[in-house]
Amino acid sequence: MRRIKTAVFISGRGSNMEALIAAAKDPAYPAEIALVFSNDPEAFGLKTAAAAGVEALAIDHRPFGKNRAAHEALIDAALRERGIELVALAGYMRILTPFLTGAWAGRMLNIHPSLLPKYPGLHTHARALEAGDAQAGCTVHWVTEVLDDGPTLGQARVPILPGDDEDALAARVLVEEHKLYPAVLATVAATFSSPA
């Protein structure tokens, strides 16, 4: 079986990245985590990735100011140089331009901590609690140029319990994220049979 070379994008500690790296340690897993990328050279997850033997790359967005296209051109070139075939956004907090989402259309997925289409963007747990929802959860979806709007690839649900606050709910959802993302990435990678 040919394993699909996958890059994981992070902006912080990278707990979903850790779950993907752990899943990919199984030789039968259809994706190889070949690169962890961050826009923040200080992102803690870069150290975690390097310690796991995965190439860790940072291209700081700050020197580019408002020129997102120039920053993304370097990211795109780095992915192509390494033969990356799939991109998994995992807590990557930059909004991507149509350049990068278009270049990787059908090959870039994201995990979001709500049951999309509910609560795209930030503060998802607070919004679910404020709305009085009975359930919360997470969604893996294809990335498009519209934020958190691509077709759904998988969801996991958790009940919202009496007395839940944002932290308690977020922690319960995160447990499900760490199961859902590796499962969905495996399904997607298994459908890829040739390099990009």
Side-chain angles (χ1 to χ4, degrees), residues 57-121:
L57 172 70
I59 302 175
D60 193 342
H61 67 275
R62 287 167 290 202
F64 295 88
K66 294 186 177 180
N67 191 347
R68 289 176 179 263
H71 181 239
E72 290 184 359
L74 284 183
I75 297 170
D76 183 61
L79 296 175
R80 294 179 190 280
E81 283 165 15
R82 290 160 176 80
I84 297 298
E85 299 166 80
L86 278 174
V87 174
L89 306 182
Y92 189 67
M93 300 307 289
R94 299 276 293 166
I95 295 175
L96 301 176
T97 74
F99 164 73
L100 203 61
T101 59
W104 291 86
R107 295 183 294 152
M108 180 181 283
L109 50 161
N110 181 47
I111 189 158
H112 182 74
S114 80
L115 296 171
L116 292 173
K118 281 188 168 186
Y119 317 125

Side-chain angles (χ1 to χ4, degrees), residues 11-63:
S11 288
R13 66 188 169 120
S15 71
N16 272 303
M17 169 211 73
E18 290 182 55
L20 294 174
I21 289 174
K25 285 183 191 272
D26 181 346
Y29 191 78
E32 171 198 353
I33 308 303
L35 176 70
V36 171
F37 168 79
S38 184
N39 61 301
D40 180 1
E42 301 302 314
F44 184 79
L46 292 171
K47 294 175 185 162
T48 306
V54 177
E55 181 185 2
L57 172 70
I59 302 175
D60 193 342
H61 67 275
R62 287 167 290 202

Side-chain angles (χ1 to χ4, degrees), residues 70-190:
H71 181 239
E72 290 184 359
L74 284 183
I75 297 170
D76 183 61
L79 296 175
R80 294 179 190 280
E81 283 165 15
R82 290 160 176 80
I84 297 298
E85 299 166 80
L86 278 174
V87 174
L89 306 182
Y92 189 67
M93 300 307 289
R94 299 276 293 166
I95 295 175
L96 301 176
T97 74
F99 164 73
L100 203 61
T101 59
W104 291 86
R107 295 183 294 152
M108 180 181 283
L109 50 161
N110 181 47
I111 189 158
H112 182 74
S114 80
L115 296 171
L116 292 173
K118 281 188 168 186
Y119 317 125
L122 300 174
H123 310 298
T124 57
H125 305 302
R127 289 155 70 192
L129 289 167
E130 286 165 13
D133 291 352
Q135 290 185 318
C138 52
T139 305
V140 178
H141 63 94
W142 287 119
V143 174
T144 65
E145 62 182 72
V146 180
L147 180 69
D148 298 330
D149 192 54
T152 294
L153 294 163
Q155 288 187 320
R157 297 171 181 269
V158 300
I160 294 179
L161 304 176
D164 264 347
D165 60 15
E166 279 183 75
D167 291 339
L169 181 56
R172 234 173 23 261
V173 170
L174 193 62
V175 170
E176 297 306 315
E177 289 180 38
H178 293 166
K179 298 177 200 169
L180 179 67
Y181 212 177
V184 172
L185 179 60
T187 300
V188 169

